[in-house]
Amino acid sequence: MSRQCELTGKGGLVGHLVSHSNIKTKRRYLPNLCNVTLISDSLGRGVRLRISANALRSVEHRGGLDAFLLKARDEELSLKARRLKKEVSKARAAASAETAA
């Protein structure tokens, strides 16, 4: 399992750890990943994702998981999140068809 956010694609970066004597050694900066269960309103169930703390704030800001997924670009999302986005869009289309009929 890679150390990458499933919603934003945020991953690890490489940089230098600089000592007091200015000696530079390579190090990795890893994202703050959390295992979270988010509730999908249109699917009516919880979904377990491994996302960064920053992505969790973005999901709350946009108004929930469904709104975040529908607005996100497919290139940023993981395969699991892209499948979830497709399920959400189908569920929303079915719900709007029922209300229109």
Side-chain angles (χ1 to χ4, degrees):
M1 179 178 274
S2 65
R3 297 178 191 266
Q4 193 169 12
C5 177
E6 292 187 55
L7 294 182
T8 59
K10 188 178 283 195
L13 297 172
V14 178
H16 287 104
L17 187 115
V18 182
S19 69
H20 178 70
S21 62
N22 207 24
I23 296 172
K24 294 167 186 74
T25 55
K26 284 249 182 170
R27 63 155 292 181
R28 287 189 66 198
Y29 291 94
L30 298 175
N32 184 12
L33 295 178
C34 310
N35 293 319
V36 179
T37 303
L38 297 172
I39 305 298
S40 171
D41 295 331
S42 59
L43 298 177
R45 63 181 171 93
V47 180
R48 289 186 52 84
L49 294 170
R50 191 171 190 217
I51 62 174
S52 63
N54 190 3
L56 185 60
R57 293 186 66 209
S58 299
V59 167
E60 293 295 322
H61 178 74
R62 285 194 186 165
L65 179 63
D66 297 345
F68 183 90
L69 286 174
L70 294 175
K71 197 170 183 183
R73 291 183 292 154
D74 286 344
E75 298 87 45
E76 294 176 346
L77 300 174
S78 68
L79 181 64
K80 183 178 178 181
R82 277 189 295 237
R83 288 179 181 154
L84 186 62
K85 180 179 180 177
K86 189 181 268 188
E87 283 182 50
V88 167
S89 61
K90 282 183 182 179
R92 284 234 174 139
S96 65
E98 288 177 9
T99 57

